[in-house]
Amino acid sequence: MADENAAPSVDETPLSPIERQESLEKHLQMRPDAQDLKNRNILRDTNAAPYTHTPTPTIWHPDSIQEANRASRAIQSTQLELERQQATDSLRKGLEKRPEREELVGRNILPDSTAAPAIQGQQKELQKHMRADSLEQKLQQRPKPEELMKEGILDEDPTSPTK
């Protein structure tokens, strides 16, 4: 059973010229005819012999080379122009879909400021410091717990330690 999985061995014994000729004749007799090969799309369906269908080498004339180069440059130029036009169209569509400034301010994406963009950061810092100063001032003006107890708003001092 191990021999079934092994690759078949190749007979390498030399053939005599007579055996070689008989083998060749046998294979030639089994060879399909030309019409069968044409039907199976192996052979071209022409009236000429198959060996005459080799392509003839093309001889390039210097003028035809220059013409081909000009055509190639024209194609490349056209391709670049098409790519530029596609990029322009893509940008135009993107700008048409772009939301208006008011909508972006309403969604808190853009700041509601008329200041130049170069100084908007400084403006934001200034507003932050102004809010901090205002809060500090209001905390200093707040009444003391003793005053609130005198007025009857508080029952006991929240700053005193609890028993």
Side-chain angles (χ1 to χ4, degrees), residues 92-141:
R92 186 175 292 121
K93 286 178 185 176
L95 288 174
E96 288 172 359
K97 293 179 182 178
R98 185 178 184 180
E100 295 295 323
R101 184 180 190 285
E102 293 79 24
E103 181 183 345
L104 295 174
V105 168
R107 293 168 48 195
N108 290 324
I109 295 173
L110 285 179
D112 188 16
S113 173
T114 57
I119 61 171
Q120 282 182 358
Q122 295 169 348
Q123 181 186 26
K124 194 172 183 179
E125 279 294 315
L126 178 62
Q127 288 173 345
K128 179 181 171 184
H129 287 296
M130 287 173 62
R131 279 193 304 270
D133 290 344
S134 173
L135 180 61
E136 182 67 31
Q137 184 182 19
K138 289 179 182 175
L139 285 175
Q140 287 177 358
Q141 292 176 355

Side-chain angles (χ1 to χ4, degrees), residues 30-160:
M30 294 174 43
R31 182 172 126 174
D33 63 338
Q35 188 59 42
D36 184 34
L37 293 174
K38 288 177 187 178
N39 293 342
R40 292 168 42 200
N41 293 325
I42 297 173
L43 188 64
R44 284 189 181 173
D45 191 12
T46 61
N47 294 333
Y51 60 87
T52 62
H53 288 289
T54 58
T56 57
T58 304
I59 300 174
W60 288 93
H61 191 272
D63 290 340
S64 63
I65 292 173
Q66 289 175 352
E67 187 177 321
N69 287 339
R70 271 188 246 119
S72 175
R73 283 192 299 270
I75 289 171
Q76 289 173 349
S77 172
T78 304
Q79 183 178 6
L80 283 174
E81 183 61 33
L82 286 173
E83 288 172 0
R84 283 188 193 119
Q85 189 63 40
Q86 284 179 335
T88 302
D89 291 345
S90 176
L91 285 172
R92 186 175 292 121
K93 286 178 185 176
L95 288 174
E96 288 172 359
K97 293 179 182 178
R98 185 178 184 180
E100 295 295 323
R101 184 180 190 285
E102 293 79 24
E103 181 183 345
L104 295 174
V105 168
R107 293 168 48 195
N108 290 324
I109 295 173
L110 285 179
D112 188 16
S113 173
T114 57
I119 61 171
Q120 282 182 358
Q122 295 169 348
Q123 181 186 26
K124 194 172 183 179
E125 279 294 315
L126 178 62
Q127 288 173 345
K128 179 181 171 184
H129 287 296
M130 287 173 62
R131 279 193 304 270
D133 290 344
S134 173
L135 180 61
E136 182 67 31
Q137 184 182 19
K138 289 179 182 175
L139 285 175
Q140 287 177 358
Q141 292 176 355
R142 181 171 74 171
K144 305 279 183 226
E146 296 86 24
E147 293 173 17
L148 294 174
M149 285 175 30
K150 283 181 188 175
E151 293 177 13
I153 297 174
L154 284 179
D155 292 334
E156 63 181 62
D157 187 4
T159 59
S160 66

